[in-house]
Amino acid sequence: METIKKHHKAIIAYTIIAFGIFALIAILIVKPSRIILEEAYSFNQKPKLKTIEFPFSQTVNVPDKKLSFLELRFEDDSINQYQYTVTTTYKSTPVFSHVYDNEISNIIRIPIDYSIIEPIEGGVFDIRIDCEGTCKNAKIELYDIDGTPTIKSLYGYQKVDYGLLWYGLFPIAIGLTLLPLTKRGGKHE
Amino acid sequence: MNKKIYKYIIGIIVCLLLSILTEIIGFNFKAITSSDEKFQDVTFSESHNGDETTLKLSTDNRYINKLIIEYQTSKDVNYSLNYSSSGLFNDEKTITFEDIFDDSFNQSVINLDCQPSNAIIVYKQSKTAQLEIKTITIDNSFHFNIVRTISVFLSFILIFSLICFYRNGFKTSKLHLYFAIVCSLLGAIIIISQPSATYFSFDDQIHFQNIIDLFHVGHTTYSIGEYQLIDSNVSNSAGHNSIDSIEEQRAQNELFNSGDSDFSKNVTFAPTYNKIGYLPMAIGYHLARLVNLPFTACFKIGKIFNLLFYVLIMAYAIKTIKIGKRLLSVIALIPANIFLASQYSYDPAVIIGITVFVAHLINLYLDKNTKFDFRIAVIMLASISYACFVKAIYVPFLLLALLIPKERFDSKKQSHLVKIGIIVVAFLLSATFILPTISGTMESDSRGGNTSVSGQLSTVLSNPLDYATLLGNTAISQFSDMTMNNFSNYGYIVNQTTISSTNFLYILLILLLFTFLTDNDENNLIKKQRFAILIANLATILFIWTALYLTFNPIGNNTIKGVQSRYFLPLFFPLLICLQPKNIKNAIKPKTYNAIIITIPAIINLITIITSILAVYSY
C-alpha cells in the first residue's frame, strides 16, 4: 500500500501507456474494418469520365448509422424531362421505390430506413434507375473532377480503419508526456 | 454560524411564500377579483375569400385571460389572430399573433390578458387538412401554474442570493461561488420553463439523438417522445413551433410520456472520441431513464446535468486562475453561455475545456510558485483533450504550453521531455481533422448545398490568394455579428425582441469592456506570452472559418456560410486576457466592483429569460 501511494503517479502514467499499447495491438490483430462511403473522386484522384446508360445500376455499401440518406446527383436538368424510377433493395427486399416524373431538382435523395433493414456490417443497397419512355437514349454522365465538380456519385467499399490506431497512439502519447513528471528531477540547471 | 443558516432558511421560506403569493394574487388577480363568468363562449362568423377563411370573433370588449380554440385537423394549419388592444393612454394598437393548429392536438390556447376588440382569426383552408373549428371559449378562471411558481421562486432566490452576497462583502475570493449560484439558478429557470422538446438550440435534435444512442446497445425501441424529437422527425413533431402556453405544454408532455413508439433500431456500441462532449447529458438522461422517470423528466434532467457540469468546471476555472477572475466571471455569464449550458449542446464542453486549460496556463506563466507538476499536467491535458475531442480546431491552444517557463519544471530535461510529449499530443489531436481533410475522406455537410471537402480544398489550394481575400473580408465584415450575437443569442427561442433589445446588449457589452479595462491587477503577461496567445486565437479563428468553408459551402462559393457566433465563445477569455492593458488603475472598492459584475448580468439574464421563455412558453 505504501509503495502504491509513493508511486501512484507513475502507476497512473504506466497504466495509460499500457492501455494505449493494448489498444494498438488489438487493432493491428483484429483489423476492424469500416464501411466507407466515399465520393467518386478524391483529392488525389485524376479526373475520370464515366458515361452511363439506362438502366443504371450500382451497388452501394452503406455504413451503419453513417447516413440517413443516399444522394445521387445528375449533370443537368435534361433528366427531369423524363419519367424515371429509382428503387433500392436490401437482400432482395425493396426498401425504397419512387417514380420521378418531371422533377424540378436534379438531386435524388434516397432515405435509408434502418427500421426495415438490420445493418450488421453496414447495408448493401442496390440502386437501380430505370427510365421509361422516350428517355431510353438519354445518358447520365458522371464526372470525377479535380476542381469544381458538377456531378457526384456515391459508392462504398470496405477497408481496414487504420484511423482507429489513434485510440492506441493517443493514450501512449499522454502517458509518455506525464511520465517525466512522476520522477523527482534534479535541481534546475 | 447557526444564525446565518437560520437567516438563509428564513430567506428561502420568504421567497417561497412570495412566489406563491405572486402566483395567486399577482397572476390570478383578475380571476379572483372579477365577478364575470370564468368560462364564456365566443360566437364567431365565418367568411371565405378564395382559400382564405376569416373567423370574426364576438369578444365585445370582454377581458380575456386565455382564449381556447377547440379544433380538429388532419394536418398542421398556420393561423393568425389579429386584434386591437388599448395600450398606454388608451392608444389602440393592432396585434398579430401567429400560431399553428397542430394535428397532434385538438386545442390551441392563447394567452391574451387584455380586452381585445375587432378580433379575427385568419387561416388558409386546405383540402388535405380538413380543419374544423369546433368552439372558441374565454377562460378567465383561476390557474395555479406550478411551472411559473417554481420559476418565480427561483427568481426570488436569485435576488435574495445577490442581497446575501452583498451583505457578506461580495468577496473576490468567493467569485466562483457567486457565479455558480447565479448561473445554476438562471439555467434552472430556462430548463424548467422551456418545453421538453428540441429545435430550440442549434442542432439540439441531432445532439439529442446522439445522446439517446450513446448508451443504447442492441435492439432498441424509442419512446414516443424520443422518436418525435430526433433529427428526422422533429420538423413534424407534435407541438413543433406551436407551443405558447402551459396548457399546450402539458398536452405535449402527455403525448411524449405516453409510452413507446413503433420505431426501433439496432445500435452497436461504437462510441467515437468526439462523443465525449455528450457524456454529462447522456449520464443524466440515461440515469433518469433507468429509474423509469417520464420522458419529459428525463429530458430535463439530461439538461440539468449539462448545466451542472458547466457550472462546476467554470467555477473551478474562476477559482483557480490568479488574474482576470472578474473578466472570466462576466464572460461565463454571457447569455449565450448560460443558454447553451442549459440545452443539449456540446459547446459548453469546448468552452470549459479551453477555459480550464488557459487558466492553468496563465498561472504557470505568471506565478513563480506554481510548478508544472503531475496533477496540473493531468488537468491541463484532460481539459484541452476534452475540448479538442469535440472540436479539434481549438488545438492551437495546446501549443501555448511550449512557452511554460523552464523554471516551472524540476529540470531542463523534464521540461524538454514534457514539451516533446505536448507536441506529439497536439499532432495527434490535429490529425483527427487534418488527415481526413487531406485524404479526402472527410464528409461534407449537404445542408450547405453542393458541398465537397476534397473539391473545396482543391479550390482553396489552387487559388490561395483568392481564398485569403475571401477569408479576410468575411472575418472582418462579420466580426461584430460573431461577437455581439453572443450577448443576445438564445438559439431559436421566439420573441427575440427582448433578448436582442439594444439596451440590454449594449449594457452587457459595456460591462465586458469595463471589466476588460479594469480587471487587470497582476496581469503581468509579457509580450511574448501575449503574442503567443493572440496567435493561438487567430489560428483557431482561421481554422473555424476554413473548416466551415470546406464542409458547408458549395465549391468555389464566394461567401463563407455556416459559421456561427457560438464557435467563438471559447476564445473570448484568452483573446481579452492577452490584449488587456496594464496601465489603467482600478480604484473601485472590490465589494462594489464585484457587485456590479455579478449583479448586472444576473438581472439582465433574468429579465430576458422571464420575458422570452417563461412568459412565452409557460404562462
Side-chain angles (χ1 to χ4, degrees):
Chain A
M1 198 65 181
E2 282 299 319
T3 314
I4 292 174
K5 270 189 184 171
K6 198 175 168 188
H7 300 290
H8 70 277
K9 293 173 191 169
I11 291 173
I12 292 170
Y14 281 121
T15 304
I16 295 171
I17 294 169
F19 173 80
I21 294 172
F22 172 76
L24 263 184
I25 293 171
I27 290 161
L28 287 170
I29 291 174
V30 171
K31 287 202 181 130
S33 62
R34 279 171 69 197
I35 308 270
I36 305 293
L37 197 69
E38 222 176 65
E39 293 164 358
Y41 58 85
S42 68
F43 178 63
N44 288 322
Q45 284 183 358
K46 289 181 185 168
K48 283 191 252 177
L49 280 176
K50 229 195 265 187
T51 302
I52 304 293
E53 294 190 2
F54 287 113
F56 165 70
S57 180
Q58 178 147 346
T59 299
V60 178
N61 288 316
V62 177
D64 182 23
K65 298 186 296 178
K66 197 75 173 169
L67 289 179
S68 60
F69 59 87
L70 296 175
E71 203 166 89
L72 294 178
R73 304 182 192 194
F74 300 106
E75 180 192 9
D76 57 30
D77 295 335
S78 62
I79 190 69
N80 302 323
Q81 298 167 18
Y82 308 118
Q83 184 192 78
Y84 52 93
T85 307
V86 177
T87 55
T88 59
T89 55
Y90 177 77
K91 291 185 180 175
S92 307
T93 305
V95 293
F96 175 82
S97 179
H98 192 80
V99 177
Y100 294 87
D101 191 1
N102 199 24
E103 295 288 317
I104 296 170
S105 171
N106 62 342
I107 300 172
I108 296 176
R109 190 168 273 201
I110 301 163
I112 298 166
D113 190 344
Y114 286 108
S115 66
I116 296 174
I117 65 163
E118 287 185 7
I120 301 166
E121 295 155 357
V124 179
F125 289 90
D126 293 313
I127 300 174
R128 182 182 174 87
I129 303 173
D130 292 293
C131 193
E132 300 294 329
T134 55
C135 65
K136 276 200 171 135
N137 294 323
K139 291 178 184 175
I140 303 170
E141 293 185 17
L142 304 176
Y143 290 92
D144 293 339
I145 290 180
D146 184 73
T148 308
T150 57
I151 295 240
K152 283 191 281 191
S153 73
L154 298 169
Y155 67 93
Y157 59 93
Q158 203 153 356
K159 72 172 191 181
V160 176
D161 190 2
Y162 287 112
L164 294 174
L165 290 174
W166 190 93
Y167 283 96
L169 293 173
F170 184 74
I172 291 173
I174 292 283
L176 289 174
T177 306
L178 293 173
L179 210 52
L181 297 165
T182 62
K183 297 170 190 165
R184 277 190 182 179
K187 284 186 184 172
H188 170 65
E189 295 169 28
Chain B
M1 187 67 166
N2 284 336
K3 261 189 178 175
K4 252 191 180 173
I5 295 174
Y6 284 135
K7 280 184 184 173
Y8 292 147
I9 293 172
I10 290 168
I12 292 169
I13 293 171
V14 167
C15 289
L16 181 62
L17 291 171
L18 277 175
S19 57
I20 294 172
L21 275 172
T22 305
E23 177 63 29
I24 293 172
I25 298 173
F27 292 110
N28 285 284
F29 181 74
K30 286 185 173 138
I32 294 171
T33 56
S34 171
S35 56
D36 293 339
E37 275 184 52
K38 303 305 174 200
F39 293 96
Q40 303 166 42
D41 288 331
V42 175
T43 55
F44 55 93
S45 57
E46 201 170 309
S47 61
H48 302 277
N49 181 10
D51 59 356
E52 192 173 271
T53 300
T54 302
L55 304 180
K56 194 172 174 186
L57 311 186
S58 303
T59 54
D60 305 322
N61 278 325
R62 286 176 281 179
Y63 168 75
I64 300 177
N65 183 22
K66 291 178 184 282
L67 190 70
I68 302 175
I69 307 171
E70 305 257 0
Y71 62 90
Q72 192 152 353
T73 180
S74 55
K75 268 192 171 180
D76 288 358
V77 176
N78 293 325
Y79 76 91
S80 63
L81 170 67
N82 307 310
Y83 60 92
S84 301
S85 174
S86 294
L88 293 172
F89 307 110
N90 289 325
D91 176 39
E92 283 263 318
K93 53 182 179 175
T94 304
I95 298 169
T96 299
F97 178 81
E98 306 274 353
D99 202 356
I100 300 172
F101 292 126
D102 195 301
D103 62 355
S104 303
F105 309 117
N106 52 21
Q107 195 181 75
S108 180
V109 180
I110 307 165
N111 293 309
L112 288 178
D113 189 24
C114 66
Q115 286 177 256
S117 56
N118 306 320
I120 58 170
I121 292 173
V122 182
Y123 58 90
K124 280 212 165 110
Q125 194 57 280
S126 156
K127 286 175 194 169
T128 51
Q130 297 170 0
L131 170 67
E132 182 198 342
I133 305 293
K134 292 184 173 175
T135 59
I136 300 179
T137 313
I138 294 172
D139 179 359
N140 291 338
S141 64
F142 178 89
H143 287 274
F144 190 87
N145 185 333
I146 189 71
V147 169
R148 186 168 57 194
T149 307
I150 293 172
S151 301
V152 170
F153 169 62
L154 293 175
S155 305
F156 280 126
I157 293 286
L158 177 63
I159 295 167
F160 174 62
S161 302
L162 292 170
I163 295 170
C164 290
F165 298 161
Y166 191 78
R167 286 169 65 92
N168 288 334
F170 250 118
K171 296 173 188 156
T172 306
S173 59
K174 294 200 173 154
L175 265 178
H176 62 289
L177 287 175
Y178 306 146
F179 157 77
I181 291 169
V182 167
C183 189
S184 301
L185 289 168
L186 291 170
I189 298 171
I190 292 175
I191 293 169
I192 287 167
S193 50
Q194 198 178 322
S196 297
T198 52
Y199 223 78
F200 286 103
S201 176
F202 311 103
D203 296 333
D204 58 352
Q205 71 278 17
I206 298 171
H207 298 316
F208 181 59
Q209 177 151 20
N210 288 335
I211 284 160
I212 296 172
D213 291 342
L214 200 60
F215 292 143
H216 278 182
V217 182
H219 191 84
T220 307
T221 303
Y222 276 29
S223 68
I224 289 176
E226 288 171 342
Y227 185 60
Q228 289 267 330
L229 298 180
I230 55 176
D231 184 32
S232 48
N233 300 327
V234 67
S235 317
N236 299 318
S237 62
H240 179 65
N241 279 345
S242 71
I243 301 295
D244 38 50
S245 66
I246 191 67
E247 289 82 6
E248 289 173 358
Q249 235 193 95
R250 284 189 196 128
Q252 186 187 54
N253 291 348
E254 199 181 318
L255 176 64
F256 287 173
N257 291 335
S258 57
D260 287 339
S261 71
D262 298 328
F263 178 76
S264 62
K265 61 192 273 190
N266 276 322
V267 180
T268 48
F269 185 69
T272 49
Y273 49 84
N274 57 350
K275 297 269 177 18
I276 199 170
Y278 293 130
L279 269 180
M281 304 171 258
I283 289 170
Y285 179 77
H286 287 281
L287 275 178
R289 278 182 94 254
L290 210 60
V291 296
N292 289 325
L293 289 177
F295 166 77
T296 49
C298 299
F299 190 84
K300 289 192 191 290
I301 288 171
K303 287 186 176 184
I304 287 172
F305 269 60
N306 199 31
L307 173 69
L308 288 177
F309 192 66
Y310 171 78
V311 165
L312 286 171
I313 305 297
M314 190 58 86
Y316 167 78
I318 294 171
K319 186 179 179 201
T320 301
I321 197 165
K322 294 189 173 15
I323 64 165
K325 282 182 191 288
R326 292 154 179 149
L327 180 62
L328 184 53
S329 300
V330 171
I331 291 170
L333 289 173
I334 282 173
N337 277 334
I338 299 178
F339 180 72
L340 288 169
S342 314
Q343 306 299 314
Y344 282 109
S345 167
Y346 56 27
D347 288 299
V350 182
I351 294 165
I352 55 179
I354 298 293
T355 304
V356 168
F357 178 82
V358 168
H360 280 289
L361 185 79
I362 287 176
N363 288 351
L364 286 164
Y365 279 177
L366 292 178
D367 186 5
K368 290 175 185 165
N369 297 323
T370 302
K371 282 282 189 193
F372 188 70
D373 60 14
F374 187 84
R375 185 186 74 90
I376 289 181
V378 167
I379 294 171
M380 288 179 74
L381 286 171
S383 58
I384 192 71
S385 300
Y386 186 65
C388 290
F389 285 163
V390 177
K391 287 184 189 171
I393 49 174
Y394 295 93
V395 74
F397 283 94
L398 177 54
L399 294 173
L400 293 173
L402 299 177
L403 290 182
I404 295 172
K406 50 185 183 289
E407 294 82 15
R408 308 291 182 262
F409 297 88
D410 285 339
S411 66
K412 228 183 195 177
K413 184 183 173 189
Q414 190 190 64
S415 164
H416 290 148
L417 287 173
V418 168
K419 287 180 181 177
I420 290 170
I422 286 169
I423 293 172
V424 173
V425 171
F427 170 75
L428 287 172
L429 284 172
S430 54
T432 59
F433 72 95
I434 289 178
L435 289 182
T437 307
I438 293 172
S439 66
T441 56
M442 180 180 274
E443 290 174 15
S444 59
D445 193 330
S446 61
R447 292 177 294 179
N450 185 20
T451 55
S452 159
V453 172
S454 47
Q456 193 75 293
L457 182 63
S458 172
T459 306
V460 167
L461 292 175
S462 40
N463 302 285
L465 285 178
D466 286 348
Y467 177 66
T469 308
L470 171 66
L471 176 63
N473 288 341
T474 310
I476 291 168
S477 64
Q478 294 195 30
F479 174 77
S480 66
D481 284 344
M482 291 299 152
T483 45
M484 307 253 285
N485 275 350
N486 289 306
F487 293 89
S488 59
N489 204 337
Y490 270 53
Y492 305 133
I493 295 284
V494 295
N495 197 18
Q496 293 266 5
T497 48
T498 304
I499 297 168
S500 58
S501 76
T502 309
N503 295 338
F504 284 160
L505 193 151
Y506 284 117
I507 290 173
L508 286 174
L509 203 54
I510 290 168
L511 178 69
L512 181 64
L513 187 62
F514 164 75
T515 319
F516 163 68
L517 292 173
T518 54
D519 183 29
N520 55 4
D521 290 351
E522 298 167 13
N523 184 352
N524 296 317
L525 288 169
I526 58 176
K527 280 185 188 166
K528 184 170 83 169
Q529 292 160 344
R530 287 173 183 258
F531 184 69
I533 296 173
L534 180 64
I535 294 297
N537 278 285
L538 292 175
T540 305
I541 291 170
L542 169 72
F543 283 153
I544 291 171
W545 286 105
T546 305
L548 268 298
Y549 187 64
L550 292 179
T551 58
F552 202 79
N553 286 265
I555 294 163
N557 210 35
N558 56 8
T559 56
I560 304 179
K561 298 182 301 182
V563 176
Q564 297 180 20
S565 54
R566 59 193 168 100
Y567 300 152
F568 301 98
L569 279 169
L571 307 183
F572 270 47
F573 181 70
L575 194 58
L576 290 177
I577 204 72
C578 76
L579 296 174
Q580 198 173 40
K582 288 197 289 189
N583 302 326
I584 297 174
K585 289 291 172 198
N586 179 10
I588 305 172
K589 282 183 189 167
K591 181 181 175 181
T592 309
Y593 193 5
N594 296 336
I596 291 170
I597 58 127
I598 293 290
T599 306
I600 291 178
I603 298 300
I604 285 178
N605 274 294
L606 183 64
I607 293 172
T608 49
I609 291 166
I610 287 174
T611 54
S612 301
I613 300 177
L614 179 65
V616 172
Y617 299 110
S618 293
Y619 267 24

